[in-house]
Amino acid sequence: ETRDIIYASESTVKSLDPHDTSDTYSGAIERAICQGLMGFDKNLNIVPLLAESYTFNEAATQFTFKLRKGIKFHDGADFNAHAVKVNIERMMTGKYKRSSLMKPVESLMVLDDYTVQFNLKEPFGAFVNAIAHPGSLILSPKALETYGDEVSKHPVGTGPFIFDQWVSGNFVTIKKNPDYWRGDVKVDTITFRPIPESGSRLAMLRAGQAHYIYPMPAELLKIAERDANIDIIKQPSIIARYLIMNTQFKPFADIRVRQAVNYALDKEAIIKIAWGGAASEADSIIPPNLQFYKKQAVWPHDLEKAKALMKEAGYENGFEVVFLTPNASNRLRATEMAQQQLKKIGITGSLQSMDVASFYNKLEGYRVDDAKPLPFIAFGGWSASTGDADWGTRPLISTEAFPPAMSNFGFFSDKKVDGFITAGLASANPDIRKKAYADLQDYVWDKAPWGYLFVDTMVAAKSKKLKGIYPMPDGAFSVEEAELVD
Amino acid sequence: MSGGYSPFPSAGPRRVSSKKAEFMLKYFFKRCMAILPVLFVVSVLAFAFVHLLPGDPARMMAGDDADEATIEMLRTELGLDRPLPVQYLTYMGKLVRGDLGISLRTNLTVFDELKLRYLPTMYLAFAGMAWSVVIGIFFGAVAAIYSGKWQDYTAMMVSVSGISVPQFWLGLLAIQLFSVHLGWLPVAGYTGKFSELILPSFTLGATVAAIMARFTLSAFLDVLGEEYISTARAKGVTETLVMWKHAFRNALIPVITMVGLQFGFLLGGSVVVETVFAWPGLGRYMIEAVAVRDYPVLQALLLLYSFHFVFINLVVDMVYALINPEIRYE
Amino acid sequence: MTEKITPFAIFWHKFKRRYTAMVAGVFIVLLVLAAVFAPVVAPHDPFLTDYSLSMMPPSLSHPAGTDLYGRDILSRIIYGSRISLAVGFTSVFVGALVGVTLGLVSGFFGGFLDGLIMRTSDVLFAFPGILLAIAIVAILGPGLVNVVVAVSVFSMPTFARIVRGSTLALKESLYVRAAKSVGASKRRIMFVHILPGTLSGVIIYFTMRIGTSIITAASLSFLGLGAQPPTPEWGAMLAESRDYIGVADHMTIFPGIAIFLTVLFFNLFGDGLRAALDPKTK
Amino acid sequence: MTSRSQDEKSPGDRSPGLATALNEDEILSVQDLSLSFPTYEGFIQVLHKVSFSVKKGETLAIVGESGSGKTVTMRRVMHLLSNVRTDSGKIMLRKRDNSVQDITLLSKGEARKIRGFDMSMIFQEPMTSLNPLFTIGNQLSEALLTHQEFPRQEVQKRVVDLLELVRIPDARRRFSEYPHQMSGGMRQRVMTAMALACNPQLLIADEPTTALDVTIQAQILALIRSLQEKFQMSVIFITHDMGVVAELADRVVVMYKGRVVEENDVFSIFARPAHPYTRALLKAVPTLGCMRGRKNPATLPVLEMEKELNRAKGEPLPREEEIDTADHTADPILEVNNLFTRFVSKKNFFGKTTHLVHAVEDVSFKIYPGETLGIVGESGCGKSTTGYALLKLVPATGEVLFQKRNVMAISNQEMQALRQDIQFIFQDPFASLNPRQTIGTSIGEPMVIHGIGDKRSRQARVGKLLERVGIPAHHASLYPHEFSGGQRQRIAIARALSTKPKVIIADEAVSALDVSIQAVVLNLMLRLQKEMNLSYMFISHDMAVIERVSHRVAVMYLGQIVEMGTRQHIFEDPRHPYTRKLLSAIPIADPMKRTDFGMLTGEIPSPVRKISEPPRKIMLNEVTPGHFVADLVSTL
Ligand SMILES: Nc1ncnc2c1ncn2[C@@H]1O[C@H](COP(=O)(O)OP(=O)(O)OP(=O)(O)O)[C@@H](O)[C@H]1O
Ligand SMILES: Nc1ncnc2c1ncn2[C@@H]1O[C@H](COP(=O)(O)OP(=O)(O)OP(=O)(O)O)[C@@H](O)[C@H]1O
Ligand SMILES: [Mg+2]
Ligand SMILES: [Mg+2]
């Protein structure tokens, strides 16, 4: 009797080449097949994996990893410094979606068979996070040689599962690695099936046609909770949700208007209605699960204050904006509610929902020197996939991150903020970094660069029989310890 | 061989059928010639599609974080800097060699991607067609035979309902009923089991079934008014034979053309049905491709869909010519 | 038969015997009235949100329940009929206008023009309708106006074919020949003699097509390409409610029924028209 | 579908116990049959106590104008009507086993067993009465096997025998052919064979020849006559052609408005018609040869049927009026020289024409002021096309001189003006008026097009024209479907007159009309000719009508004129074999002179020819002054 697990998810697998994958879901499956030098635990803490340990210099420009011995890839190739070199150098060619992770690297030196040293161009305190990122997984050098870039269809790693089959647009199957170095794998196969309709996904779980579903549609929690065979798993994530406003232009250039927006938003209602309750109100510019998070006071919902601020700023009669949102139903709902709530302080406007591609296309279309007649409010979301405060702030609120470079779509620019961000990267010393990010969080919270909303809670659901699969704060999941019990 | 039923399998000289074969061949070529311009225009449209979409294709293809140099490179690589007719010719040249480009999303060749999703969609479409033909013709025939009676009204109400339900709604309700509450059938997805095919294909076929029923009804009524039906009755042929041999067969002839025309509708419907049922086919692929602006995929899909439509109708035309002896062959 | 039977009397006699069509006609009239007098008929403001009433099941004050934001679903359905009817009607009207013109020209003049128009409509036929709509919306962007454009584009070729077919037949008819023989101009023959003769087919298809268009528009909204919130469009309402099937079924059922009945009755009405306008039926 | 309503009869009308009320020598007797159809205004009775009977071995003709209930009666006998109500009456049939049964009492299933076995029926439309999807052999075998068991091998033999019986050449080959591969005449023979498959004792033929050309009609008539003699069947022959009645019938039943108004043996009917309707019917028929010895056309001596019915006994008939308007000394008003029209019939793969229809082939003739030129010929010989070509309604080459101006060479604008002077009247009065326009609009339209008068004067003229053709002026606001066929044709004539034309081309203008109405319309046309000095080009396939109305006649064959001369030349001294063949094929409305149709065989040839094989040009010789006959060598 084989133990086969079906994992039903919203998304489809796009690639199985870790270096050329940009989506979390594909990355998570890759993590079941391949491993990196470092990895994350359940709570997104960085733990050594294929590396035993690492050291770094004070200036955060040199990182040395000691590799674990005696590990073999699924195809029999040895894991060693050579394998790491091949992989890192592949990423450094700049051709792949995750090449940017190795952008700071000047060179990679093989000190001996089981020691590698990264030399960086400039200080980069968050480099270990980059190494732990699923984009930096290590593929078998043999497979890379055999398949070249076709490796995306034949990923070979050191992980608990061996790649079995991928029918593009349909399912991916992985099977047990009998020789896994960390111990016995307890299931025979896992099949990942895309079921985009959330109702269908839950229906499959309830009908026993799936063992684990993610995301569990929060709207349907009531049903799932009633079902005795189903376990609900909730887990705080690192996904921040916020409303982007163009801070370079009237009226959002006026901090009072931005603050009014924050007072006007009824985050609690939005979480409850639009998000099915699966979120917690934002209490800092970065989510609690990120490194160096520092809690702030939640912005209260206070219409009177909001109106007063609007009046003070000279917008007693309000103004018109356009609301932009991706057309995924929960984002649409949240934006729709923001539209309803902001109407109460006179910020009105039509809503445009569109597919994600068009959405970002549109946001990227704005330039800081544009003369856009109509200000916008856009529903933004960010998952700092390295788990580090730097990646949770720099691409979003630093001046260097104005599009098209990065994702500061609201053109928020503040000298002090830029200063804190630089300071946070200047050292790999956790204490120094912590201080910089704490200052940053304290400082920027009142500046209201966004309409703060909330941090997602990840909700998954599984059959009671299934143990050991859990979601991770970055939206990925871990299947290494999966187990079917009767 | 001619379509007429003969009580004597060996009766009659074969001369006619060889002539017919020759005619069919000629007819086939003629039809092929006629569809060439259609295919041409379709290919131009599919080609133009990318250029009609707002924004610079190279910029979109390059992705979110590409710099100007990369885009410029891509532009040259894609030949976007050359005059449009030249681009079209290059595109066609590649097309003829089966090169449909590379999916922007997965970096796999579009050809491979389509190959994977092609069969599931075809299964779905043909199963949907089967449902609709069987149900539609049955209801249509019943309505015609019992014209004006309760059977007529019932049959037509049922089939008109089929047109009136939005497919996505029908699909969602069907899943709730048959998969969740009754637990008879799989909820969604397709991994190769027959049971997975039943609900989606039924949902897909329901609308077309209604159209077929209506069409069969009117074709049948037309035929029932024909003099040769009176002739058959005057011979004393039983009512059952009159209906199913004389009337039904004749009514089927126009219905067959309908099958071809509805095939396009069915393919279109598969977009919605595949979304609801998480069917790993071309329709869902199209929606995904639209969402991420995967242009080479969209282009290829438009071509594939219309090519199919044209091809199916060619087949239908041939079948039509085969079973209708009145198509002239001399 | 007796003399003094106007064509309308015959039509009416046949039509009123199709009681399904009569019921449908009454329903459509009511629906149109409801749409026109929505502010009077609707019990609540369709845009008024009250989060405390989120997803309340049907009750006396909210006969169809409330939606996610506590808005009254019945009122939204009533206001939604404005949109569905307008989208259905406008798109078919535009499609019919262009299609009829092209069909008439194509059938009447034949030759190169005919070939061109018919090949074009073949091409439009070849793109499955909703795909064409998706492609068009992808180019123009989502929104109701673009949905109307998309839906009209793909209802156009059928109109063209219907009209072309009857134009070809009527062109050979004796009365057109008679008109030609007395020297009637082409324009006169086209508009005075042929066009009116093609209209009964157009009217029948028109009614039925409204149903199809409403469904297509709803499907586009369902796929996120149609009406934008907070517009109370039926398809968008359905799309919004589909995440709550099993939790708040009334949110799905009522807009679904609204679409179903509207399309059903347009179809039945069209069926009745066809039966009544068809000289073969009695 | 037969429906149960057939069996819904009011029981009071039936006298029980008379189940055997059928004389020894009778095979079928219809007694007091009344039927109603459901319509908008409820049930409308279409048969009123119809009674007649058929004796063994006799041919009974049922005549009557369109809508008089002939078909309904026979379909009721065959149990082939759906949703009809039988109000009263019995239909007694003697079956093969000599038992007698009232077939109105039969269930659907029982009726089916009688159909095709005890009695069978042939329908009017040979083109549509065979199922296009099945071979002739299949359909004939079905007729055989429905009622009898046969070993497989024998069926084919019997079918071939049957086909030979109805004189289908090459019967073995035809066995596996489809209906569309046969001509109308052959199909009608196949239908006959099918009806005869089980040797029924009663054959019902519902206008089996009406849709056929005269020569083919003659063949079918001869066939039915010989079969009837051979098998001693009883035949009920429905027709509206008194000539056919005279040729075939032993006895005649005359129906009028759903009633039998007269029943008698054929000689008595023709010699002493008792009912005014029968008299009117006989008078209204133009009989071939009755113009013998007269130079000019003349009106028919009958006015309208209704008037005839109400005429007091002994009141003299209206006089025949001679139409001597032709002026052969003047210049011809219309002169046609070397007119050609060819249609593309077939193209090859590359779109090159390979076959042409030689519809009009080098035709030349003249029409003089006030003259009527009759054009006759069989179906497809190019009569209509000639007419269309004159007005450039089809592409044509040659010379058409109207008052010396060549129509073919003038500009569109001049052509437009000329269209006022030449008008068309079409065959089908139902189809030639736009059903969506009032007749007033239709009649006024030519004036609108040519900008004649203002609105008011046009209206006045429409009223006058209507009255002129015998329709009250206030009917101008009615629609065509509110008129009868004859009235519509008169409306069409009014329209043709609206621009005061000089020449009228009448293409089968009376062919679709009932004989009685035909007479009225013909008389109207002739009187108009006299009043307005019109010239007619009168196209018809009916030799008798042509004889009645023409000053001169042209006989067409395969697009060419084979004989042309004065009416007397053609009808009293026909020279060309084709003309003679046509004349001999016409049934004479006189039972004393039955025709021997023996000389008629073969099919109507086709004007379609390969592009490399144009037809031979026919040379016309003037045998006597004004009488042109084709050179025999060049035609045959
Ligand atoms: N199915 C029907 N429903 C209603 N009325 C009918 C039906 N069939 C025939 N009639 C009417 O019955 C009358 C007799 O028709 P019938 O066909 O018997 O005439 P007919 O003498 O055969 O004429 P024709 O010479 O034109 O064939 C007509 O007034 C006709 O309109
Ligand atoms: N538009 C056309 N295209 C091709 N062939 C045609 C066309 N019109 C007529 N014909 C053919 O030309 C020939 C002559 O036709 P026409 O109608 O003049 O014959 P007709 O003598 O009037 O016959 P009928 O008595 O049947 O009316 C026929 O073989 C016919 O099929
Ligand atoms: Mg009749
Ligand atoms: Mg003709």
Side-chain angles (χ1 to χ4, degrees), chain C residues 18-253:
Chain C
R18 311 270 306 188
Y19 57 85
T20 47
M22 285 297 287
V23 173
V26 172
F27 177 90
I28 291 171
V29 169
L30 289 180
L31 188 70
V32 171
L33 287 179
V36 171
F37 296 106
V40 184
V41 184
H44 299 273
D45 175 354
F47 300 104
L48 186 74
T49 60
D50 179 349
Y51 298 152
S52 65
L53 289 179
S54 175
M55 300 201 279
M56 296 296 277
S59 66
L60 273 182
S61 61
H62 299 283
T66 58
D67 72 359
L68 211 49
Y69 315 116
R71 297 179 297 208
D72 181 51
I73 291 184
L74 181 64
S75 306
R76 287 181 71 74
I77 289 178
I78 290 171
Y79 273 87
S81 65
R82 289 181 163 189
I83 294 156
S84 286
L85 288 181
V87 167
F89 186 84
T90 326
S91 58
V92 182
F93 184 78
V94 173
L97 206 65
V98 180
V100 168
T101 314
L102 289 182
L104 195 62
V105 167
S106 175
F108 190 77
F109 292 106
F112 175 74
L113 217 54
D114 181 29
L116 187 75
I117 293 174
M118 281 303 113
R119 290 296 81 76
T120 317
S121 88
D122 281 349
V123 170
L124 288 182
F125 261 120
F127 287 117
I130 193 145
L131 297 191
L132 194 67
I134 290 174
I136 291 174
V137 173
I139 293 172
L140 301 178
L144 274 178
V145 175
N146 297 339
V147 168
V148 169
V149 172
V151 177
S152 16
V153 167
F154 85 89
S155 60
M156 188 207 80
T158 316
F159 280 109
R161 288 199 175 193
I162 292 177
V163 171
R164 176 176 178 267
S166 39
T167 302
L168 283 180
L170 288 179
K171 204 168 74 167
E172 296 305 317
S173 76
L174 224 42
Y175 70 79
V176 166
R177 202 157 251 204
K180 259 191 221 162
S181 78
V182 299
S185 65
K186 286 197 166 138
R187 227 182 57 207
R188 185 177 182 88
I189 288 178
M190 255 168 89
F191 292 109
V192 176
H193 293 284
I194 294 185
L195 184 61
T198 64
L199 287 186
S200 71
V202 169
I203 290 171
I204 293 167
Y205 186 68
F206 193 100
T207 5
M208 303 208 172
R209 191 76 213 187
I210 288 181
T212 319
S213 297
I214 289 176
I215 289 206
T216 309
S219 303
L220 285 175
S221 291
F222 179 81
L223 295 172
L225 301 168
Q228 298 292 316
T231 319
E233 202 268 341
W234 293 343
M237 288 170 77
L238 272 182
E240 189 181 274
S241 71
R242 75 172 138 164
D243 291 342
Y244 298 91
I245 293 182
V247 174
D249 286 334
H250 66 273
M251 280 169 50
T252 307
I253 300 225

Side-chain angles (χ1 to χ4, degrees), chain C residues 1 282, chain D residues 37-39 46 65-72 124 207:
Chain C
M1 298 293 107
K282 283 178 232 99
Chain D
F37 279 112
T39 65
V46 293
E65 67 186 275
S66 183
S68 58
K70 309 181 294 285
T71 302
V72 166
Q124 172 168 2
E207 315 218 24

Side-chain angles (χ1 to χ4, degrees), chain D residues 343 357 359 378-385 508 607:
Chain D
F343 298 107
V357 186
E378 282 176 293
S379 176
C381 69
K383 308 182 292 290
S384 302
T385 310
E508 310 266 12

Side-chain angles (χ1 to χ4, degrees), chain A residues 37 61-67 80-92 102 104-112 114-121 127 131 138:
Chain A
L37 300 184
T61 53
Q62 200 176 67
F63 291 78
T64 312
F65 291 85
K66 272 241 163 288
L67 305 183
N80 52 25
H82 165 72
V84 176
K85 190 177 159 72
V86 169
N87 275 274
I88 299 302
E89 277 172 0
R90 177 170 190 250
M91 288 175 77
M92 284 167 65
M102 291 302 131
V105 179
E106 168 86 43
S107 66
L108 174 72
M109 284 167 49
V110 176
L111 301 183
D112 65 46
Y114 291 97
T115 315
V116 290
Q117 187 183 64
F118 292 81
N119 297 310
L120 307 191
K121 297 170 191 155
F127 184 68
I131 288 295
I138 304 295

Side-chain angles (χ1 to χ4, degrees), chain D residues 43-59:
Chain D
F43 278 88
I44 286 206
Q45 195 169 354
V46 293
L47 289 189
H48 305 266
K49 301 216 171 269
V50 167
S51 303
F52 61 86
S53 61
V54 192
K55 296 201 178 64
K56 280 185 185 163
E58 98 175 330
T59 301

Side-chain angles (χ1 to χ4, degrees), chain D residues 85-282:
Chain D
R85 192 177 73 191
T86 308
D87 299 319
S88 74
K90 288 200 295 264
I91 302 172
M92 310 303 298
L93 175 74
R94 185 178 302 284
K95 300 219 282 189
R96 286 187 163 193
D97 57 9
N98 224 12
S99 68
V100 173
Q101 200 159 22
D102 179 355
I103 55 180
T104 59
L105 303 178
L106 295 184
S107 72
K108 269 198 232 174
E110 291 164 334
R112 179 187 71 73
K113 291 196 184 114
I114 288 179
R115 288 201 296 265
F117 191 63
D118 293 293
M119 55 183 175
S120 50
M121 187 155 173
I122 310 174
F123 300 98
Q124 172 168 2
E125 264 306 323
M127 301 317 271
T128 57
S129 43
L130 292 172
N131 192 325
L133 288 193
F134 300 99
T135 59
I136 302 301
N138 183 319
Q139 298 188 53
L140 275 163
S141 331
E142 186 182 38
L144 272 176
L145 294 168
T146 300
H147 299 285
Q148 284 152 302
E149 295 280 321
F150 282 104
R152 292 226 138 193
Q153 319 80 286
E154 211 187 308
V155 179
Q156 186 173 14
K157 200 183 142 286
R158 282 190 167 247
V159 169
V160 173
D161 285 349
L162 275 171
L163 288 173
E164 272 163 4
L165 184 70
V166 295
R167 295 184 211 146
I168 294 217
D170 204 359
R172 290 207 147 268
R173 184 164 66 81
R174 295 291 180 188
F175 185 91
S176 51
E177 279 192 3
Y178 288 91
H180 73 272
Q181 291 165 288
M182 311 187 121
S183 69
M186 293 223 288
R187 289 191 209 187
Q188 202 56 299
R189 275 181 255 193
V190 170
M191 268 304 292
T192 313
M194 213 179 310
L196 295 177
C198 294
N199 288 320
Q201 291 159 294
L202 176 61
L203 176 70
I204 301 169
D206 187 358
E207 315 218 24
T209 58
T210 308
L212 302 174
D213 264 303
V214 269
T215 51
I216 307 298
Q217 158 169 320
Q219 293 173 25
I220 298 285
L221 291 182
L223 174 70
I224 291 182
R225 202 196 279 167
S226 77
L227 290 172
Q228 195 254 345
E229 274 161 20
K230 188 167 170 189
F231 295 109
Q232 281 303 305
M233 282 182 301
S234 306
V235 174
I236 298 179
F237 200 100
I238 299 179
T239 180
H240 60 260
D241 184 337
M242 291 311 276
V244 173
V245 174
E247 289 289 349
L248 278 185
D250 297 318
R251 265 178 340 110
V252 181
V253 166
V254 183
M255 287 185 73
Y256 181 64
K257 296 205 166 159
R259 292 185 168 80
V260 171
V261 293
E262 186 164 0
E263 177 179 359
N264 212 334
D265 71 85
V266 66
F267 300 105
S268 315
I269 288 271
F270 277 86
R272 293 175 303 280
H275 193 269
Y277 175 72
T278 319
R279 281 202 305 273
L281 199 58
L282 284 169

